[in-house]
Amino acid sequence: MMQHLLIRFAGQQEPGIAPGREVVTRENALDGIVLLAAAIDEPAQAGVIDRNRAFHMGALLMVIREYVQSLPEGLGEPDSPDLVTPDLQTMVEAIRQGIAQHHG
């Protein structure tokens, strides 16, 4: 399915949308995001994946996580500044530019 989505994306074609399957819960999606982040972080820490590439993948997961459920502010520290919103704005703009260039 992911190959299908990639091929359709590359060809600028809509992949289609099925009716909701009611199999995946929001909690499942949140757990999947954290597990994928761990799967990226482990080889990055071992030097198997380029750290910049891993950072980029983690930032994309942060955008997905924010959509599924808002991220905490200031990493949970009392009175800490909101560093999440500017990071999200930067990532969303980069995604939009990347999509525009890809489909240019």
Side-chain angles (χ1 to χ4, degrees):
M1 179 53 70
M2 291 309 298
Q3 287 294 325
H4 169 74
L5 294 174
L6 289 169
I7 290 166
R8 302 292 287 198
F9 179 80
Q12 299 181 33
Q13 301 169 330
E14 289 293 323
I17 299 172
R21 292 179 174 86
E22 298 184 24
V23 173
V24 179
T25 66
R26 184 171 68 148
E27 289 75 24
N28 298 144
L30 293 170
D31 290 345
I33 291 167
V34 172
L35 291 170
L36 184 53
I40 293 166
D41 186 61
E42 183 179 341
Q45 294 296 327
V48 176
I49 297 175
D50 176 72
R51 284 183 182 247
N52 288 333
R53 184 75 172 146
F55 179 80
H56 179 73
M57 289 186 279
L60 292 171
L61 285 173
M62 188 173 82
V63 171
I64 296 166
R65 169 56 163 78
E66 174 66 18
Y67 184 79
V68 174
Q69 180 176 319
S70 293
L71 293 158
E73 292 181 348
L75 301 177
E77 299 296 325
D79 300 321
S80 59
D82 176 22
L83 302 176
V84 175
T85 301
D87 285 349
L88 287 169
Q89 290 171 331
T90 299
M91 277 307 301
V92 168
E93 186 57 35
I95 290 169
R96 289 177 183 149
Q97 288 176 1
I99 297 296
Q101 288 175 354
H102 180 78
H103 292 302

